[in-house]
Amino acid sequence: HAQGVFQRLGLSPDPTSSETPGVYHGSWGGRGALVDSINPANGELLARVRQASAEDTEDTLVAAREAYKQWRTVPAPRRGLVLQDIGRALEEKRDDLGAVVSLEMGKIKSEGRGEVQEIIDIVGYAVGLSRSIGGSVFPSERPNHFITEVANPLGVVGVISAFNFPTAVYGWNLSLSLVNGNATIWKPAPTTSLCAIATTKIIASVLESHKLPGALSALVCGGGEVGQALVDDKRVDLLSFTGSEARGKIVGQQVQARFGKSLLELGGNNAAIVLPDANMALALPSIAFAALGTAGQRCTTTRRLFLHSSIADSFLASLVAAYKSTASRIGDPLAEGTLIGPVHAQDGVNRYLAAIEQIKKDGGEILVGGKRAEVDAALSKGNWVEPTIVKVANGGRGFKMMQEETFAPILYVSTFETLEEAIELNNGVAQGLSSALFTQDLSNALKWIGPEGSDTGIVNVNGSTSGAEIGAPFGGNKSTGWGRESGGDAWKQYARWASCTLNWSNEVALAQGVNFSV
Ligand code: NAD
């Protein structure tokens, strides 16, 4: 199966037999270290990827700036036509690229495919923008003056992405970058290089067919040192970083130190709240998806659950039963019926096991899970853990592990008495990405989304913390980094804005009535 997928994506049918170039800026290459791409479900080698050397990154920066100079003169509606072709090419390869996401990242088939669909959706959004991007016209206080905002291309956008969305996050950034007339350089997570290479091949084929420079969508595979080179380089006008809070905090300061622009999409520690008036038949599967989906490795994963004390026991019993029923559906991400794939890396398993130890020490009560998962012998070399529910007393106040994002399927559950208390608990962590309230009462819902409500960047009512659509801005507040990507006005960050005043009279007129005759 994998061989056919690789071949159709223009990769060698057996990428393990030869090295796969991990650098693209119009042509493919790479002079850095060879890094293995491993299937997290069974530990098998998928490819050996040649990463970028310092010289490769330099060549890519030069090529991207040249590409930008050409692309910035192309009218936006014509950029939209190129994007339209990128969307079509991705649609043709959706299932194959989705399968590579499953093979290399470990997410289940429909989620791998869904990731590619997300790029297709945002490409469509950018095609629409290509006929509408622009600024406002403002009234001038001076006669015969005209004031408008102009959105010019910004330059080169650097995109550093995390392993858990190995293609979609790039799709969000690339679409908005391209439609604004920029070139983009992508530095994916080193463990998901193959996803990045396969995605770039599809985009490159369209750029090349339009006789456009491939460096408009350039790729430098590599680890921290390759990312650092983009962070530190003034030729990267906007640095879009998706990853951990710890790394993002440093990256944000380093980009600021050179007066660059950054866009930070960092960790989440998302809560769901269930009120007694909730539709429980809706709340249960919504929370199960958000807590279990992608084996707890989404930035929007539900990690904290607050249940009203009057329904807590019955809801928790149903949730534990739902978790137990998924035990038989942990396995090969590409097999039909699988709901939970592996944790992406051995590191993730170690962090999960360390968290479980700490939870036990701190007095958390493990209701289900808490150890490595049993799987078929064929998958024994994969990274398997049991999805876990931990009951915590007193709303989790003072329970340190609940303040942190452990990037694994661990759900903390506690109780509350009033909506005000639940909101205080929801807001009582450093992160501010996503949240969800389950209620049938309009005043509860409006309080939740209002000034005294949830402080996260994504706020849901009767829906999962995970699974946002592309139309709205995506991002979080507080230590999640305040970044916004994807829909809404996020595109505005990829432009160089100018407020332009045009005097079409023959008079000098100064604002605020200032008189300065010479
Ligand atoms: P990570 O911080 O370890 O790595 C992220 C990226 O940073 C990788 O590409 C990595 O190679 C790169 N990097 C490492 N050192 C660097 C350096 N010195 N300079 C520049 N780049 C460097 O994160 P991860 O483990 O890959 O991803 C998981 C994290 O990402 C979680 O915290 C998750 O919540 C977060 N995430 C957030 C969002 C969001 O939209 N808010 C989306 C997806 C993932």
Side-chain angles (χ1 to χ4, degrees), residues 143-145 502-509:
N144 298 339
H145 280 59
L502 286 78
N503 176 2
W504 51 281
S505 75
N506 290 315
E507 307 293 325
V508 175

Side-chain angles (χ1 to χ4, degrees), residues 378-455:
L379 302 177
S380 63
K381 294 213 172 85
N383 312 321
W384 301 99
V385 302
E386 286 185 353
T388 302
I389 299 179
V390 183
K391 195 171 164 188
V392 180
N394 191 26
R397 293 177 186 86
F399 196 85
K400 199 171 150 285
M401 293 302 291
M402 220 167 147
Q403 297 287 317
E404 292 169 19
E405 178 198 47
T406 302
F407 218 54
I410 301 175
L411 176 68
Y412 301 96
V413 186
S414 202
T415 57
F416 65 90
E417 300 301 329
T418 64
L419 176 59
E420 289 71 21
E421 185 191 356
I423 292 172
E424 173 220 314
L425 293 169
N426 175 73
N427 296 352
V429 292
Q431 307 81 358
L433 182 51
S434 185
S435 56
L437 178 73
F438 292 87
T439 182
Q440 300 279 69
D441 182 301
L442 185 61
S443 56
N444 290 336
L446 287 172
K447 178 157 194 159
W448 172 243
I449 66 169
E452 295 171 300
S454 173
D455 66 0

Side-chain angles (χ1 to χ4, degrees), residues 241-260:
F241 178 89
T242 302
S244 59
E245 290 158 80
R247 177 55 55 195
K249 187 175 181 176
I250 301 169
V251 163
Q253 291 173 14
Q254 289 173 332
V255 175
Q256 177 60 36
R258 63 170 175 83
F259 291 117

Side-chain angles (χ1 to χ4, degrees), residues 149-368:
E149 277 178 307
V150 173
N152 278 310
L154 182 65
V156 172
V157 176
V159 180
I160 298 179
S161 59
F163 71 80
N164 68 327
F165 274 88
T167 61
V169 164
Y170 182 63
W172 290 353
N173 282 283
L174 177 78
S175 305
L176 299 185
S177 175
L178 275 183
V179 75
N180 275 290
N182 305 313
T184 310
I185 303 177
W186 183 12
K187 206 299 286 170
T191 50
T192 53
S193 298
L194 206 55
C195 292
I197 291 165
T199 307
T200 299
K201 278 192 183 276
I202 296 169
I203 294 160
S205 70
V206 176
L207 293 175
E208 287 167 14
S209 74
H210 280 267
K211 308 229 174 328
L212 287 163
L216 287 176
S217 176
L219 175 68
V220 282
C221 287
E225 63 305 332
V226 180
Q228 193 66 56
L230 299 181
V231 168
D232 290 338
D233 204 299
K234 278 196 168 213
R235 290 169 291 180
V236 176
D237 299 273
L238 171 66
L239 195 283
S240 168
F241 178 89
T242 302
S244 59
E245 290 158 80
R247 177 55 55 195
K249 187 175 181 176
I250 301 169
V251 163
Q253 291 173 14
Q254 289 173 332
V255 175
Q256 177 60 36
R258 63 170 175 83
F259 291 117
K261 285 178 71 166
S262 69
L263 210 171
L264 301 176
E265 296 282 356
L266 313 178
N269 191 0
N270 317 293
I273 296 167
V274 184
L275 289 176
D277 65 27
N279 175 345
M280 302 299 166
L282 178 150
L284 191 91
S286 306
I287 291 167
F289 163 67
L292 291 164
T294 329
Q297 299 164 104
R298 289 196 189 209
C299 50
T300 49
T301 291
T302 297
R303 306 198 179 279
R304 299 178 297 139
L305 173 61
F306 298 112
L307 301 172
H308 189 269
S309 60
S310 64
I311 51 96
D313 288 346
S314 63
F315 192 90
L316 202 46
S318 308
L319 191 64
V320 168
Y323 265 57
K324 287 187 173 155
S325 76
T326 62
S328 59
R329 303 184 64 184
I330 300 177
D332 178 1
L334 284 170
E336 291 305 328
T338 300
L339 283 182
I340 298 157
V343 170
H344 176 62
Q346 190 53 47
D347 246 22
V349 176
N350 296 342
R351 277 198 290 268
Y352 165 92
L353 294 172
I356 298 291
E357 279 313 299
Q358 192 60 44
I359 287 164
K360 286 179 183 163
K361 263 193 219 151
D362 295 349
E365 185 188 344
I366 295 179
L367 302 182
V368 59

